[in-house]
Amino acid sequence: MPDDMQDTRSRASDLVGVDPEPGVSKKDPIVVVDGITRTFGGLRAVDVDHLEIQRGVITALIGPNGAGKTTFFNVLTGFDQPDTGEWTFNKKSLKGVSASHVARLGMVRTFQLTKVLSKLTVLENMRLGATGQRGERFWAAPFRFLWKAEEDSITVRARDLLGRFNLAAKEGDFAGSLSGGQRKLLEMARALMVNPELIMLDEPMAGVNPALKQSLLGHVKSLREDGMSVLFVEHDMDMVRDISDWVVVMAQGRVIAEGPPASIMADQRVIDAYLGAHHDTDITEIEESVLAAEVEAELRADDEETR
Amino acid sequence: MDLISTPLHDAFSPYALSFVFAAMGLNIHYGYTGLLNFGQAAFSAAGAYAMGVAIASFDLPLVVALLLGVVGAVLLALVMGVPTLRLRADYLAIVTIAVAEILRLVFSTSFKDYFHARDGVSGFTLGFRSLNPFPDLPNGFLSFSRNDLWVITVGWILVVLTCVLVWLLMRSPWGRILKSIREDEDAVRSLGKNVYSYKMQALILGGVIGAIGGFIGGLGLASVQPDSFNTDFTFIAFTMLILGGAARVMSPAVGAVLFWAVLSFLGVALTKLSNGDNPIIPSDLMSPDQVGNIRFAVVGLVLMLLMIFRPQGIFGDKKEIAIDAR
């Protein structure tokens, strides 16, 4: 398939017929990883032989705590250097490329612990995200007429995104006054100001309330509709099931499985390593009351012991 | 009357001016970008020595000498920044303080034909003084001499121009990047900005402003001596900046003027109180020759109280200080 990057329709159909095997090759990968290892002392945090991330789809990266997901993110985006390995983005090698350059190439990430700039306003946070601004050059900066028009168009784009992320009313507030969930939203919106081709979200749902979660899911889906590729780390299995086209599972630094969500959820290795046997069954009301009674009894026993 | 006129004289003197510029440079480094530069004295020294030696030893015109001073500050910023700006902030602090001390020791011990050791460089003010438009005033203004008046006129005009430049820069997208770096470098990096380059630009800009302080101080005192640029120089400049409030355009100038005015007032007042046959402060508590040290102790006390009750300084914004995510 040719590099038709202008194609903006959903590309999920490209994944039909791809074998759900670790390291399987895909039709049109945006990221290709080969032999990346990263060790911390004696610990092999990341050890990925081969992995391809399909363009234009939503890929989830799941796995237990300490599986190396965030380290893998850091390595891919230039925030950490691997011990060995090669990886490409749009067929361009990113080995040794600085984090800022990776972002300018179109691969932008967010952080597990949000990094909003709390002493800047929400709108200023957004404006910072636009790349290649004329006013960011030292010699042009003192002369407002050189960058005013560009700043205005950036502001329009920023306000539009803030509206989409339900943050429009907050634009004049310091980002430090936002709640944890709002910070997640702001960070995602700010990353979009960079106009990425691939956006990498590190636990976008952590600390976000259920109502906001629904709209966040909608936003992520709409990114795919806009032709963007999404790679996200998440522990929220509902989200993974709901929006991802492809799931990659990491455990102890290695990719142990990949495939469409349905087949991954049924994969015995994944269940053993991460999901647990009861991940799929909803707790019924009766079971819930039984559980609650058990917990209560335990607490009472503890209480009596201490007395 | 000298309880008012002496502090006023000191606060606007060429000596105070050299600190105003040093503090304005630190405001760029520390206030806006979060760079811990503990070697601001080196930038002022580089500027002053480059200017002094260029004129005194090589007979270069004033303009060329000043340009050499600026080049010196830029080179110094590169020397300090290239190895350290990729690392954590602490490393810059260590390197800057070391470089400043090395530079001071080189000036005071090496190349004596040019630097004249502790005597310092002198005989470079003729070109500057020949431009003086002021008439010879019998009593002067605030008892400033004609030469001083010329230096402080030029100096304070430059302070205003520098403030305007800083204000213009800090309201621009360029300034926005510096303020963002101060908060979280990685966030800025993740948005595609070359953090290293911006930190270097900030280091150079603040360093060049510090070098201007060296020019003014040197021209005011008509000599450049290594001991004026010891570590005290940097820390007094830091004190002034924090007194005024970091990351505010006017704060270094106001902080410096206030600092010298208070210091000078304390000097005059304590001397008066401890002098004479029956001094108000008994001589076994404090003798007149201890005034010089006591006033610094009092200033230190005032600063401690300031840090406790108004940590943002005079102009600082409580809102920016109060909100802290972590």
Side-chain angles (χ1 to χ4, degrees):
Chain A
M1 187 170 236
D3 281 349
D4 48 353
M5 287 186 317
Q6 290 78 17
D7 189 356
T8 54
R9 76 196 153 82
S10 173
R11 307 278 294 275
S13 58
D14 285 356
L15 288 168
V16 174
V18 176
D19 289 334
E21 285 296 322
V24 69
S25 73
K26 304 185 179 70
K27 277 183 184 164
D28 183 15
I30 189 165
V31 173
V32 179
V33 173
D34 268 305
I36 286 187
T37 61
R38 175 72 174 104
T39 53
F40 296 112
L43 177 76
R44 282 218 146 178
V46 174
D47 185 2
V48 174
D49 296 332
H50 186 81
L51 180 66
E52 297 182 5
I53 310 287
Q54 173 69 16
R55 185 191 309 279
V57 304
I58 300 175
T59 306
L61 181 58
I62 64 171
N65 294 319
K69 305 183 295 291
T70 295
T71 308
F72 189 51
F73 254 46
N74 289 343
V75 167
L76 290 184
T77 49
F79 280 86
D80 195 2
Q81 266 67 52
D83 301 324
T84 62
E86 298 271 350
W87 69 108
T88 61
F89 173 72
N90 274 335
K91 301 202 169 80
K92 185 189 182 319
S93 173
L94 291 187
K95 193 175 182 175
V97 176
S98 71
S100 58
H101 195 81
V102 169
R104 285 200 297 278
L105 286 172
M107 181 166 159
V108 178
R109 58 98 46 102
T110 65
F111 295 88
Q112 188 177 356
L113 300 167
T114 48
K115 288 185 182 290
V116 300
L117 303 160
S118 52
K119 287 168 190 174
L120 260 54
T121 64
V122 168
L123 190 59
E124 283 283 82
N125 264 277
M126 293 295 287
R127 286 181 180 140
L128 180 72
T131 45
Q133 299 179 40
R134 204 172 184 192
E136 289 180 348
R137 277 177 300 190
F138 178 77
W139 299 109
F143 309 107
R144 194 178 194 174
F145 59 90
L146 289 177
W147 48 263
K148 180 74 168 55
E150 193 185 30
E151 182 88 342
D152 288 344
S153 72
I154 287 168
T155 306
V156 169
R157 203 151 65 81
R159 290 217 166 101
D160 176 49
L161 275 169
L162 285 177
R164 278 167 58 186
F165 282 80
N166 306 332
L167 287 169
K170 297 277 181 186
E171 70 165 52
D173 295 2
F174 285 109
S177 69
L178 297 183
S179 72
Q182 288 169 329
R183 287 176 195 213
K184 287 270 177 199
L185 289 175
L186 174 58
E187 206 186 11
M188 199 193 286
R190 191 179 64 187
L192 293 177
M193 286 295 289
V194 187
N195 277 333
E197 268 186 68
L198 170 65
I199 186 164
M200 300 172 60
L201 308 169
D202 200 344
E203 299 201 14
M205 291 298 167
V208 178
N209 71 51
L212 213 51
K213 233 176 232 184
Q214 279 310 314
S215 74
L216 207 56
L217 288 177
H219 291 316
V220 176
K221 279 184 192 165
S222 73
L223 298 181
R224 178 179 56 190
E225 256 90 81
D226 295 344
M228 218 175 280
S229 313
V230 181
L231 176 65
F232 71 97
V233 169
E234 189 52 68
H235 285 298
D236 184 333
M237 280 308 118
D238 289 334
M239 176 180 179
V240 173
R241 228 188 316 253
D242 191 2
I243 68 167
S244 56
D245 302 303
W246 195 260
V247 181
V248 175
V249 187
M250 279 182 81
Q252 293 171 332
R254 301 190 63 85
V255 173
I256 58 164
E258 61 173 306
S263 80
I264 285 295
M265 301 291 173
D267 189 317
Q268 194 57 44
R269 285 168 303 177
V270 180
I271 292 169
D272 291 344
Y274 179 53
L275 297 172
H278 296 293
H279 72 96
D280 226 6
T281 45
D282 283 334
I283 298 177
T284 63
E285 246 173 72
I286 299 164
E287 280 171 329
E288 203 170 342
S289 61
V290 169
L291 264 175
E294 272 175 25
V295 171
E296 208 175 311
E298 242 169 71
L299 283 174
R300 207 169 289 147
D302 281 354
D303 218 24
E304 268 157 29
E305 254 172 56
T306 50
R307 232 179 262 163
Chain B
M1 268 326 274
D2 40 348
L3 268 178
I4 296 169
S5 65
T6 306
L8 219 53
H9 172 276
D10 287 355
F12 290 95
S13 67
Y15 189 55
L17 264 168
S18 65
F19 282 95
V20 173
F21 283 101
M24 283 197 292
L26 284 178
N27 198 23
I28 306 283
H29 293 155
Y30 172 73
Y32 289 107
T33 322
L35 300 175
L36 272 179
N37 169 18
F38 285 151
Q40 184 69 344
F43 288 105
S44 294
Y49 267 94
M51 174 191 69
V53 172
I55 297 175
S57 300
F58 297 99
D59 263 336
L60 294 172
L62 180 66
V63 180
V64 178
L66 294 178
L67 277 177
L68 281 174
V70 171
V71 170
V74 173
L75 288 178
L76 191 62
L78 291 173
V79 166
M80 286 181 183
V82 166
T84 55
L85 286 180
R86 285 183 203 279
L87 307 170
R88 274 208 340 252
D90 338 24
Y91 294 94
L92 183 72
I94 296 165
V95 167
T96 48
I97 201 166
V99 168
E101 283 298 276
I102 290 167
L103 207 61
R104 183 174 68 84
L105 291 171
V106 167
F107 286 141
S108 59
T109 56
S110 312
F111 305 107
K112 288 184 177 158
D113 289 344
Y114 300 108
F115 299 145
H116 307 288
R118 283 187 193 286
D119 294 340
V121 182
S122 55
F124 53 82
T125 54
L126 212 61
F128 181 76
R129 288 182 176 176
S130 69
L131 300 170
N132 191 344
F134 290 110
D136 209 353
L137 303 167
N139 292 320
F141 171 74
L142 274 177
S143 65
F144 281 121
S145 70
R146 179 171 174 264
N147 286 326
D148 280 354
L149 208 55
W150 177 224
V151 174
I152 62 171
T153 307
V154 171
W156 283 101
I157 289 173
L158 280 174
V159 169
V160 171
L161 291 178
T162 310
C163 281
V164 171
L165 177 70
V166 171
W167 178 73
L168 287 173
L169 282 170
M170 291 312 157
R171 68 167 187 174
S172 76
W174 186 83
R176 181 163 63 214
I177 292 183
L178 294 200
K179 286 180 255 179
S180 307
I181 289 172
R182 179 184 64 190
E183 274 199 67
D184 196 326
E185 279 181 31
D186 281 345
V188 182
R189 244 181 230 120
S190 77
L191 296 171
K193 321 289 181 199
N194 187 342
V195 169
Y196 177 69
S197 160
Y198 282 98
K199 286 207 274 190
M200 187 59 91
Q201 291 171 38
L203 191 65
I204 290 172
L205 176 65
V208 169
I209 294 175
I212 297 174
F215 300 154
I216 298 293
L219 290 169
L221 299 172
S223 78
V224 177
Q225 287 155 352
D227 292 336
S228 346
F229 302 107
N230 55 18
T231 46
D232 292 2
F233 180 94
T234 302
F235 290 113
I236 289 176
F238 254 112
T239 306
M240 292 164 169
L241 173 62
I242 289 164
L243 178 68
R248 285 290 175 273
V249 171
M250 297 285 287
S251 60
V254 177
V257 166
L258 209 63
F259 181 90
W260 280 124
V262 170
L263 198 67
S264 169
F265 175 83
L266 282 172
V268 177
L270 289 173
T271 307
K272 275 188 194 297
L273 290 175
S274 58
N275 252 336
D277 289 335
N278 195 7
I280 298 168
I281 299 174
S283 57
D284 41 341
L285 193 67
M286 187 186 89
S287 63
D289 51 321
Q290 287 172 323
V291 166
N293 294 330
I294 296 281
R295 62 186 185 148
F296 271 106
V298 174
V299 168
L301 192 67
V302 171
L303 268 171
M304 273 163 65
L305 294 173
L306 190 79
M307 289 314 290
I308 293 166
F309 294 106
R310 201 175 163 79
Q312 73 270 39
I314 296 167
F315 287 126
D317 187 345
K318 191 88 183 174
K319 253 198 283 184
E320 281 192 48
I321 299 282
I323 299 165
D324 202 347
R326 272 154 291 182

